[in-house]
Amino acid sequence: MRYDLIAVKDPADWRAFHDIRRQELFEAKGRFGIYNENHPDDHASFAHPYLLKLDGVPIGTTRLDVRSDGTAIFRLVAITAAEQGKGHGRAMERLVEERARALGATTLYVNAADTAVGFYRNTGWTEHSWDPIELVNISVNAVQMTKQI
Ligand SMILES: CC(C)(COP(=O)(O)OP(=O)(O)OC[C@H]1O[C@@H](n2cnc3c(N)ncnc32)[C@H](O)[C@@H]1OP(=O)(O)O)[C@@H](O)C(=O)NCCC(=O)NCCS
């Protein structure tokens, strides 16, 4: 079993990245017709979009937003439904954390879906209100959490 965390650049990887996000973070939660594949933040200088592949097959996504103050934000974290609960989210979290450290971050933040708070607690995050202004739109019910790395 081999994991690869791919920095998304190739068209086929962008396709898989958007498909996983739309399905797991929008349509699986009843949010149809609002996912935007052309969101400018995905291409911003601070943004590092990643695709997790398991033995070459795309199974997970996240975007790491790295800021100049030593903080980085995990955004839109998802594992495909058929692969959830098998340890892949934990593996992706560890791999993205390594990238964050290499990019100069020492503090991580996330707006955790209320249903995913247990996942973050189990992977070393604690609840911390880091920027309440972020709790709008799809993050309105999110729980803000942090982790020192
Ligand atoms: C949340 C998510 C990324 C976790 O990935 P995963 O591969 O399912 O999680 P893992 O199997 O690696 O679980 C790691 C640990 O977290 C726990 N865990 C996972 N999901 C959990 C949840 N929803 N609630 C409570 N605990 C959870 C597991 O039991 C496991 O604990 P253990 O190692 O102590 O036994 C994934 O389930 C997912 O994509 N969910 C739908 C989209 C979503 O809500 N994303 C989060 C947006 S912030």
Side-chain angles (χ1 to χ4, degrees):
M1 195 168 76
R2 174 180 149 179
Y3 290 114
D4 292 299
L5 188 72
I6 310 284
V8 182
K9 292 190 181 82
D10 292 348
D13 288 338
W14 277 115
R15 182 73 265 134
F17 176 87
H18 289 308
D19 287 349
I20 292 171
R21 270 183 170 181
R22 181 187 304 98
Q23 175 57 34
E24 307 307 337
L25 294 167
F26 286 79
E27 296 186 358
K29 296 176 187 265
R31 303 169 182 135
F32 290 88
I34 58 169
Y35 178 65
N36 177 8
E37 288 192 359
N38 300 304
H39 200 294
D41 284 1
D42 283 339
H43 302 280
S45 56
F46 55 74
H48 298 261
Y50 292 120
L51 184 65
L52 181 72
K53 293 186 182 180
L54 174 64
D55 296 331
V57 177
I59 62 159
T61 63
T62 190
R63 193 182 85 217
L64 183 71
D65 288 357
V66 179
R67 307 196 290 195
S68 57
D69 61 355
T71 66
I73 308 168
F74 274 45
R75 295 200 188 274
L76 298 163
V77 178
I79 298 291
T80 54
E83 294 297 333
Q84 290 171 15
K86 300 179 182 176
H88 303 318
R90 181 187 285 281
M92 182 167 73
E93 195 264 358
R94 198 174 56 241
L95 291 168
V96 177
E97 195 177 299
E98 280 173 16
R99 302 290 177 100
R101 205 177 287 115
L103 290 162
T106 53
T107 300
L108 301 178
Y109 294 135
V110 70
N111 295 317
D114 49 3
T115 52
V117 168
F119 165 73
Y120 288 102
R121 285 200 188 120
N122 281 13
T123 53
W125 297 69
T126 54
E127 294 177 32
H128 169 65
S129 176
W130 52 273
D131 188 357
I133 288 168
E134 292 239 346
L135 299 178
V136 292
N137 301 326
I138 69 161
S139 295
V140 71
N141 293 317
V143 177
Q144 295 197 315
M145 303 181 80
T146 189
K147 182 177 184 178
Q148 297 298 317
I149 59 171

